[in-house]
Amino acid sequence: MGTVTILYFAVARERAGLAREVLDVAEGARVKDVLGLLVARHPALLPLLPHLRVAVDQEFVPVEAPVPPGAELALIPPVAGGSGLFSVVDRPLRLEDVVAAVSGEAYGGLVTFSGSVRNQTRGRRVLRLEYEAYPPMAEKQLAVIGAEAAERFGGTRLAIMHRVGTLAPGELAVVIAAAAPHRKEAFLACEHAIERLKQDVPIWKKEFFEDGEVWVGLGP
């Protein structure tokens, strides 16, 4: 018998009613065994299981993976969606910060992306967004994206900053800068970064409307 720490985020945190707990698990337990224990404790998690990914000690793992004693196991709902700067912050973003992180005389092409909060989604007026993250793993995944960009796009340097907390329409949620010796690689790396961010980085957003709210990625 050993203990593991369970971390809940976004809709999983709401369904479980807490952000973290310590659980006793049998020696040799696997991820699927721990999920069974969690559903028994928090039945509202059951409908979410097909949508969740699981990270053990900040690495995505399959349900057959072992869970060692003392591990940190995080339930990762679908996400909203590294030389360089890779950070998750709770303050207003500045595009010049990511530009400065990748600029250099050897890099003739520099492409940026600024993602701001829209004031409407599918015809519904957005009052605000709330972003939540698993910061250590999010920053680690952003750095992985940076390494991918350098390998795939001729040594491109990438910097990504994402904001968490409550954001109003018009405020910046993410800023990205990609610098390369030539413009083509810089454009490709910037596009690659935003697409990969939406897939694998544990950052979630909840949209608040006049007539309701929804976690993005799970539908209405």
Side-chain angles (χ1 to χ4, degrees):
M1 184 72 69
T3 62
V4 297
T5 300
I6 311 297
L7 302 181
Y8 300 96
F9 296 96
V11 65
R13 172 179 47 75
E14 289 185 344
R15 296 289 181 90
L18 73 172
R20 103 175 21 228
E21 66 180 321
V22 176
L23 190 69
D24 291 324
V25 299
E27 185 175 351
R30 299 185 179 275
V31 168
K32 63 181 181 180
D33 303 318
V34 177
L35 291 176
L37 294 174
L38 296 179
V39 167
R41 284 187 168 214
H42 311 292
L45 290 174
L46 182 60
L48 282 182
L49 290 186
H51 305 283
L52 296 176
R53 299 172 74 184
V54 177
V56 173
D57 292 333
Q58 302 179 21
E59 297 286 348
F60 286 121
V61 297
V63 294
E64 295 294 336
V67 180
E72 181 181 81
L73 186 148
L75 300 189
I76 309 293
V79 299
S83 143
L85 172 67
F86 304 96
S87 61
V88 175
V89 300
D90 60 356
R91 55 176 171 78
L93 299 177
R94 303 191 317 156
L95 185 61
E96 52 263 41
D97 290 340
V98 288
V99 170
V102 300
S103 296
E105 293 183 357
Y107 300 90
L110 194 151
V111 174
T112 65
F113 173 81
S114 300
S116 60
V117 177
R118 297 188 303 270
N119 63 2
Q120 63 83 32
T121 297
R122 295 183 294 277
R124 302 171 75 186
R125 188 164 76 90
V126 174
L127 302 179
R128 68 184 188 278
L129 294 186
E130 290 186 0
Y131 281 91
E132 180 180 328
Y134 180 16
M137 185 175 177
E139 293 181 347
K140 186 175 182 179
Q141 291 298 117
L142 292 177
V144 168
I145 295 171
E148 290 175 353
E151 180 178 355
R152 296 186 186 189
F153 308 113
T156 298
R157 299 175 68 179
L158 197 65
I160 308 171
M161 294 183 70
H162 204 296
R163 186 177 172 185
V164 293
T166 301
L167 280 71
E171 291 191 282
L172 291 174
V174 59
V175 288
I176 301 173
H182 305 286
R183 65 180 183 274
K184 179 179 179 180
E185 288 78 11
F187 275 107
L188 290 172
C190 195
E191 182 179 27
H192 174 78
I194 192 63
E195 294 302 324
R196 286 281 286 110
L197 188 155
K198 292 179 179 180
Q199 293 171 2
D200 280 340
V201 180
I203 299 173
W204 306 271
K205 68 178 178 180
K206 191 172 188 178
E207 291 184 305
F208 290 82
F209 309 99
E210 294 174 307
D211 58 350
E213 59 194 54
V214 63
W215 285 101
V216 174
L218 288 176

